[in-house]
Amino acid sequence: MTVTYDSVPGLVETVEGHGETTLVVDAARVVEAGLHLRNEQGFNFLSDVTATDYLGWGERGVSGYIGTTGGRDLHAPGTQGLPRVPDPKPARFAVNYHLLRLSDDPVRVRVQAWLDDGEEIDSVVPVWPTADWFEREAFDMFGIVFRGHPNLVRILMEDDWEGHPLRKDY
């Protein structure tokens, strides 16, 4: 069964790559998109919320590769000093929600929202209660604020810790 995502509220684009589907949504409509995906499309399980800091992405010295099931080709050219550099990112932080539709025909999808430093995003705890600790971890490690979270306090670092250890400027 083919799944279509054209009706997801706030959908900016659908990206197919590396064996997965990513739905890029407007950060202001992430809860609305989540409700639609849960209620209308059956994505009833949130397996993870992750964040990524892309500070300095695409600048000199930033390189990367895509791992495959066959591993990494150490002889393939990287981006350092070569004509290929990574594509620019729309903002500094990506917040990713990994969803699974548990049914006879299971489907995985990633919902992605982009934020600049200091921007906040609404909590999806009312949609998927399992987001509680995932959002707390993203707050603790990256400083991303989830508006409306029921208990947005540190979960890994000491309460008096200054800064957020997974930020590239830490």
Side-chain angles (χ1 to χ4, degrees):
M1 178 175 150
T2 304
V3 181
T4 59
Y5 302 103
D6 298 337
S7 61
V8 173
L11 183 67
V12 175
E13 69 175 319
T14 302
V15 179
E16 299 285 342
H18 312 295
E20 69 178 3
T21 301
T22 300
L23 307 177
V24 179
V25 299
D26 178 15
R29 298 184 70 188
V30 71
V31 171
E32 191 180 350
L35 285 168
H36 174 84
L37 287 165
R38 184 193 70 190
N39 297 340
E40 305 298 324
Q41 303 224 347
F43 287 94
N44 51 3
F45 182 68
L46 172 73
S47 64
D48 200 6
V49 176
T50 62
T52 308
D53 185 355
Y54 286 99
L55 180 67
W57 185 258
E59 296 175 4
R60 182 161 177 74
V62 175
S63 186
Y65 65 90
I66 301 297
T68 65
T69 55
R72 176 182 173 197
D73 182 0
L74 295 175
H75 303 291
T79 58
Q80 186 64 41
L82 296 173
R84 189 180 138 266
V85 297
D87 293 333
K89 301 296 180 187
R92 177 175 175 178
F93 296 101
V95 179
N96 301 289
Y97 304 84
H98 301 270
L99 306 177
L100 179 62
R101 182 176 70 193
L102 299 172
S103 64
D104 293 338
D105 183 26
V107 177
R108 293 181 185 274
V109 71
R110 175 174 60 164
V111 175
Q112 185 175 69
W114 289 91
L115 302 171
D116 280 315
D117 197 7
E119 287 186 316
E120 298 180 359
I121 190 166
D122 290 328
S123 173
V124 297
V125 169
V127 182
W128 296 286
T130 57
D132 185 357
W133 286 31
F134 298 140
E135 289 180 354
R136 284 179 62 190
E137 183 179 5
F139 165 72
D140 197 3
M141 297 287 105
F142 291 93
I144 296 171
V145 175
F146 293 88
R147 274 188 309 267
H149 189 281
N151 189 24
L152 194 62
V153 295
R154 290 199 180 269
I155 191 170
L156 298 171
M157 305 305 292
E158 297 290 334
D159 290 339
D160 61 349
W161 192 273
E162 292 184 24
H164 305 280
L166 292 182
R167 290 174 66 115
K168 299 270 176 92
D169 58 0
Y170 179 71

